[in-house]
Amino acid sequence: MNGNSAPTNVPPFPPDYRASGLLLHVTSLPSLYGIGDLGSSACAWVDRLHDAGQGWWQALPLGPTGYGNSPYQALSSFAGNALLISPAALISDGLLKASDCESHFAPDVVDYDAVIPFKQRLLQTAWTNFKAGDRKDLRPAFDEFSAQQEHWLEDYALFRALKAKHRGAYYLEWPRELVQRNPDALAESRRELASQIEQVRFAQFLLFRQGDQLKEHAHAKGVGLIGDLRFFVSPDSSDVWANPELFLLDEQRRPLFVAGVPPDYFAAQGQLWGNPVFNWDALRAADYRWCIDRLRALLAHVDVIRLDHFRGFAAAWHVPADACSV
């Protein structure tokens, strides 16, 4: 099987199809750089699955983490987590030097307070080197990526640049004109933060490129990839900020309701999730385009999607936003 072949176990499945695999989040892979990434250790894990006769690798959501560094509180439904970019691969690509990546992280724990600034520094260095002319051959691919992903990347890059400027504050705490997406305020921010915005785009380009390489390796080994898509989105995300009409919000863009589920076998009092609730009338009027785009974005990187939390499709509460959990 060559590197461009699909694994033998991707859908549509025959009626008698059975397979097995393992769940392991990318962050749990061994790494010299403080957190598991999409580099050689991910490929080695695929090799182990293949050697053990396993056909699937399932991971948790891979979006950029926000509150609590949780993969289920991502800052975007479309972007990937730049912490998963492999420094070793950037060294091989000629965008970093080995001396740039010296670290002394513990091998058995992820210290996000240390990893985040370390990875941010590496990505800043890689961007500086790229701007200075290193790997000029990647420029056409970067420009093509930016154009193809513009429908979400422009808003996400600006969102991250503004979030950094405001020291990570929840976007509802930004100046009102930015919360309300005043066109003049957005245009001024794009001019002021142009370099930071480009760096965010570049990090996503690097991440998607490494993800494509990993998927190709997995397919060459006959291993399929299972992704995880959250039913609801994080309240502090570019999803909500850039698409307020798709959620039930008040005039100040605050959630009118938050998500939860009724009592069931697992929780006698039900659950209060806290995510903003979709405006299904608006989604329906747009032929669910945003929902379809979410699915397509993830399917570009995986072969099968697990929908989380599927309970939300069957029954969900619209809980007043000021309600207290029990």
Side-chain angles (χ1 to χ4, degrees):
M1 183 182 298
N2 64 48
N4 294 319
S5 300
T8 57
N9 54 358
V10 298
F13 302 116
D16 59 347
Y17 173 77
R18 295 183 69 186
S20 60
L22 290 170
L23 168 65
L24 177 76
H25 196 41
V26 177
T27 58
S28 296
L29 291 167
S31 174
L32 297 174
Y33 306 108
I35 191 170
D37 58 47
L38 299 178
S40 59
S41 61
C43 290
W45 172 244
V46 167
D47 295 344
R48 292 190 68 178
L49 291 173
H50 168 77
D51 294 343
Q54 301 301 302
W56 293 98
W57 175 12
Q58 179 181 342
L60 303 179
L62 301 175
T65 53
Y67 176 76
N69 298 303
S70 169
Y72 292 96
Q73 290 289 347
L75 299 174
S76 169
S77 292
F78 297 87
N81 189 347
L83 296 181
L84 304 182
I85 295 173
S86 167
L90 296 184
I91 294 172
S92 298
D93 281 341
L95 290 168
L96 292 177
K97 299 181 178 65
S99 59
D100 295 325
C101 303
E102 292 179 358
S103 62
H104 303 282
F105 291 106
D108 57 348
V109 66
V110 177
D111 180 357
Y112 284 96
D113 289 340
V115 166
I116 291 172
F118 171 75
K119 282 291 186 78
Q120 288 177 339
R121 178 178 61 79
L122 294 186
L123 292 174
Q124 173 66 56
T125 301
W127 169 240
T128 298
N129 292 338
F130 182 71
K131 283 198 304 181
D134 291 356
R135 291 304 307 267
K136 291 180 180 179
D137 57 303
L138 290 179
R139 172 58 72 170
F142 173 48
D143 292 340
E144 181 181 3
F145 169 81
S146 298
Q148 289 178 344
Q149 307 299 328
E150 182 179 9
H151 66 99
W152 64 267
L153 186 57
E154 288 299 304
D155 283 315
Y156 173 71
L158 177 58
F159 178 83
R160 290 305 302 267
L162 285 168
K163 199 164 186 61
K165 177 182 177 180
H166 295 285
R167 300 183 180 182
Y170 182 14
Y171 87 87
L172 288 179
E173 298 174 6
W174 298 353
R176 177 179 172 81
E177 63 271 17
L178 294 175
V179 173
Q180 298 287 336
R181 293 180 59 83
N182 176 278
D184 291 339
L186 295 183
E188 175 59 30
S189 294
R190 290 190 182 98
R191 288 190 292 270
E192 176 191 352
L193 303 172
S195 179
Q196 294 92 321
I197 290 170
E198 277 291 282
Q199 184 178 328
V200 174
R201 289 198 196 101
F202 185 63
Q204 291 298 303
F205 165 70
L206 296 176
L207 183 68
F208 279 47
R209 184 167 179 265
Q210 292 185 6
D212 289 344
Q213 292 166 349
L214 175 61
K215 185 178 182 181
E216 181 177 349
H217 179 75
H219 285 188
K221 292 291 184 176
V223 175
L225 303 178
I226 302 177
D228 200 323
L229 184 70
R230 297 156 295 116
F231 180 75
F232 290 108
V233 305
S234 171
D236 186 19
S237 65
S238 60
D239 299 322
V240 181
W241 178 67
N243 305 280
E245 71 282 0
L246 301 183
F247 302 89
L248 296 180
L249 310 176
D250 66 17
E251 293 182 355
Q252 285 73 46
R253 306 292 171 90
R254 297 173 302 193
L256 287 168
F257 302 94
V258 293
V261 294
D264 57 17
Y265 177 82
F266 297 100
Q269 300 298 326
Q271 301 174 48
L272 182 63
W273 291 343
N275 306 86
V277 172
F278 292 114
N279 183 341
W280 290 108
D281 289 339
L283 288 166
R284 187 181 302 111
D287 294 326
Y288 301 100
R289 176 53 48 196
W290 186 83
C291 300
I292 294 170
D293 286 345
R294 287 182 78 199
L295 289 165
R296 285 178 172 166
L298 183 52
L299 282 171
H301 310 293
V302 302
D303 302 297
V304 171
I305 292 176
R306 170 188 176 268
L307 293 170
D308 181 283
H309 198 302
F310 191 80
R311 184 77 168 95
F313 286 91
W317 273 341
H318 286 197
V319 182
D322 58 356
C324 297
S325 59
V326 293

